[in-house]
Structure formats: structure tokens, C-alpha cells
């Protein structure tokens, strides 16, 4: 059973550019989550899906962030007009119906 | 509001010592779940345990044990006979029944020296 995978693992971009990250969950998992982690902090919830439906989105999440899970399998997280404050590790997790969440290796974003 | 507090920022021990990582949580819900995750230097969060609020039994898994006390809103984690491979950042987290989102503490960095 393969775990959660994320692509790319590292992304360096210039301020103002758009970036998109991909997450592939564990195959039988119907829920998928995005979190953001900055240095020295715990992961912070961004949004989550059950199948294709986006069930919750953090109120702290800027309108520049959007996530999709079009076929209920993989998900993408897009950040438009990146800012230096967006530099962080973006983590994806999946679960089966809300049981324990299993995390991927993360995508480290650096905005210069 | 939900909150998880891990007051210990960093702990250093020598191999074979026992170590306890503290976690205190706040929630108004009666149904909630508590978790511990390990984040080794490689960076990937590793699931360790999930407990629901109705099950206060302590749990032991090998060298790991967890003590859940609703009276003090604590969910502490003990590693017995620590090993160098236990060196990592450990996160405690909370979720409520009405939402899946995990609320994490700030983590405790454990360093085990040989």
C-alpha cells in the first residue's frame, strides 16, 4: 500500500508568480486535507475534501489560495500571486472517513 | 475555541532514560479526538495514536505509552528507555467530532543522546 505522495517536493518561485501543488492520497481514502507548516510551528489546517466536495476551508485562508479535487482522487492546491509570507511546507494528508490522517512528505515552497 | 498546548519546547535526554511529553488541550465539545504525531528530521509526519474522548484507558505500545486524563485535559506521552532513533519533533493534536481538521500544538523537540 503506497502512502500519500506530493509533487513537487520543492518549489522556488518569484513573488507574484502562481504555483500549483499536487497530492495523491492513499487509494482507498475518501478524505483529503491540506495543511501548511512554518518553521518551529505545528501544521495549520487549510482545507479538506470528502470525495470531490470541499467541506471546510480555513477562515485564515486568503482568496489567493484555491484547492480542487475534481474526481475525488488527487487534489491540487494553487496559490496565485505568491508573497514571501507564503513560504512554508505544504502538507497533504488523507484518511478513510475521518479516522487517523496519514501525511505525505510535503512540498516546500520558497518565495523569493 | 480549540487549543493544544505543548509547554515543553525542547527536551534532551541520554539514551535509556524515560521521557514524558506533555500535552494540554482545550475544547468545549464533549466528543473529540486526540492524536500524537512524530516528525523525524526527514520531515514526514508519522501517525502514532488516536484516542476518542470517551476512552480514558491508558494505552501502551512497545516503549510508548499514553496517559489520557479528562479531569486535567491532558494527553501525555511517555517513551520508556529512549533510543537515539526517537529523536524528533512530537506533535499533539485535537479534532472535534463536527470537523475533521486537526489543531496541532507547537511541538516538542526531543533529542536523545547516545
Amino acid at each position: 500500500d503506497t502512502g500519500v505522495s506530493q509533487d513537487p517536493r520543492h518549489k522556488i518561485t518569484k513573488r507574484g508568480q502562481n504555483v500549483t501543488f499536487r497530492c495523491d492520497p492513499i487509494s482507498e481514502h475518501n478524505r483529503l486535507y491540506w495543511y501548511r507548516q512554518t518553521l518551529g510551528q505545528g501544521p495549520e489546517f487549510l482545507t479538506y475534501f470528502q470525495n470531490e466536495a470541499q467541506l471546510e476551508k480555513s477562515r485564515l485562508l486568503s482568496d489567493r489560495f484555491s484547492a480542487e479535487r475534481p474526481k475525488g482522487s488527487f487534489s491540487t492546491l494553487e496559490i496565485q500571486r505568491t508573497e514571501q509570507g507564503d513560504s512554508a511546507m505544504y502538507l497533504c494528508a488523507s484518511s478513510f472517513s475521518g479516522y487517523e490522517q496519514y501525511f505525505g512528505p510535503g512540498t516546500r515552497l520558497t518565495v523569493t | 475555541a480549540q487549543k493544544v498546548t505543548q509547554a515543553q519546547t525542547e527536551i534532551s535526554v541520554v539514551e535509556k532514560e524515560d521521557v514524558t511529553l506533555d500535552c494540554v488541550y482545550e475544547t468545549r465539545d464533549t466528543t473529540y479526538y486526540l492524536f500524537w504525531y512524530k516528525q523525524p528530521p526527514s520531515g514526514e509526519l508519522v501517525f502514532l495514536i488516536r484516542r476518542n474522548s470517551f476512552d480514558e484507558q491508558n494505552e501502551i505500545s512497545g516503549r510508548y505509552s499514553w496517559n489520557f486524563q479528562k479531569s486535567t485535559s491532558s494527553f501525555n506521552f511517555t517513551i520508556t528507555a529512549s533510543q537515539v532513533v526517537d529523536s524528533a519533533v512530537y506533535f499533539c493534536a485535537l479534532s472535534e467530532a463536527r470537523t475533521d481538521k486537526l489543531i496541532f500544538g507547537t511541538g516538542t523537540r526531543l533529542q536523545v543522546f547516545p
Side-chain angles (χ1 to χ4, degrees), chain B residues 54-112:
Chain B
F54 298 108
D55 183 0
E56 283 192 77
Q57 273 195 321
N58 291 333
E59 180 150 343
I60 298 174
S61 175
R63 296 184 298 107
Y64 295 170
S65 62
W66 291 271
N67 180 266
F68 176 26
Q69 292 197 343
K70 286 177 80 169
S71 61
T72 56
S73 297
S74 65
F75 186 46
N76 296 337
F77 172 31
T78 297
I79 301 174
T80 303
S82 58
Q83 300 176 1
V84 172
V85 293
D86 295 327
S87 297
V89 180
Y90 290 86
F91 290 99
C92 181
L94 162 75
S95 73
E96 295 170 340
R98 57 185 170 80
T99 173
D100 262 10
K101 69 180 181 185
L102 293 175
I103 307 296
F104 284 86
T106 50
T108 298
R109 178 177 299 278
L110 174 65
Q111 293 196 69
V112 182

Side-chain angles (χ1 to χ4, degrees), chain A residues 31 33 35 37 40-43 45 48 56 91 95 97-105, chain B residues 35 37 39 42-47 50 91 95 98-107:
Chain A
R31 295 190 181 179
Y33 314 79
Y35 293 83
Q37 185 178 22
Q41 300 297 314
F45 171 78
Y48 88 95
E56 189 171 350
L91 298 168
S95 78
S97 295
Y99 286 91
E100 53 267 22
Q101 296 179 27
Y102 291 91
F103 283 79
Chain B
F35 303 79
Y37 282 85
Q39 190 170 42
S42 60
E44 192 160 337
L45 280 159
V46 177
F47 167 80
R50 173 186 188 262
F91 290 99
S95 73
R98 57 185 170 80
T99 173
D100 262 10
K101 69 180 181 185
L102 293 175
I103 307 296
F104 284 86
T106 50

Side-chain angles (χ1 to χ4, degrees), chain B residues 27-33 52-54 94-98:
Chain B
T27 177
R28 291 184 185 148
D29 281 17
T30 54
T31 303
Y32 53 89
Y33 303 90
N52 74 56
S53 52
F54 298 108
L94 162 75
S95 73
E96 295 170 340
R98 57 185 170 80

Side-chain angles (χ1 to χ4, degrees), chain A residues 2-101:
Chain A
T2 57
V4 178
S5 61
Q6 293 186 245
D7 185 68
R9 296 291 306 277
H10 303 275
K11 179 71 176 179
I12 300 173
T13 191
K14 292 186 177 178
R15 191 177 55 180
Q17 298 293 305
N18 299 344
V19 294
T20 300
F21 309 141
R22 176 179 170 126
C23 172
D24 286 88
I26 293 171
S27 57
E28 63 268 24
H29 285 182
N30 57 351
R31 295 190 181 179
L32 186 148
Y33 314 79
W34 287 99
Y35 293 83
R36 175 173 62 190
Q37 185 178 22
T38 53
L39 203 61
Q41 300 297 314
E44 175 189 33
F45 171 78
L46 296 179
T47 188
Y48 88 95
F49 294 83
Q50 175 162 299
N51 300 316
E52 308 86 2
Q54 188 171 21
L55 295 188
E56 189 171 350
K57 187 175 174 180
S58 170
R59 281 172 283 178
L60 302 174
L61 202 59
S62 158
D63 288 345
R64 296 183 297 104
F65 287 71
S66 62
E68 291 184 339
R69 195 182 182 200
K71 295 181 181 179
S73 56
F74 73 91
S75 174
T76 57
L77 177 68
E78 181 183 17
I79 309 174
Q80 296 182 326
R81 303 181 304 282
T82 52
E83 300 172 357
Q84 287 191 321
D86 297 331
S87 295
M89 178 75 86
Y90 289 83
L91 298 168
C92 177
S94 69
S95 78
F96 179 70
S97 295
Y99 286 91
E100 53 267 22
Q101 296 179 27

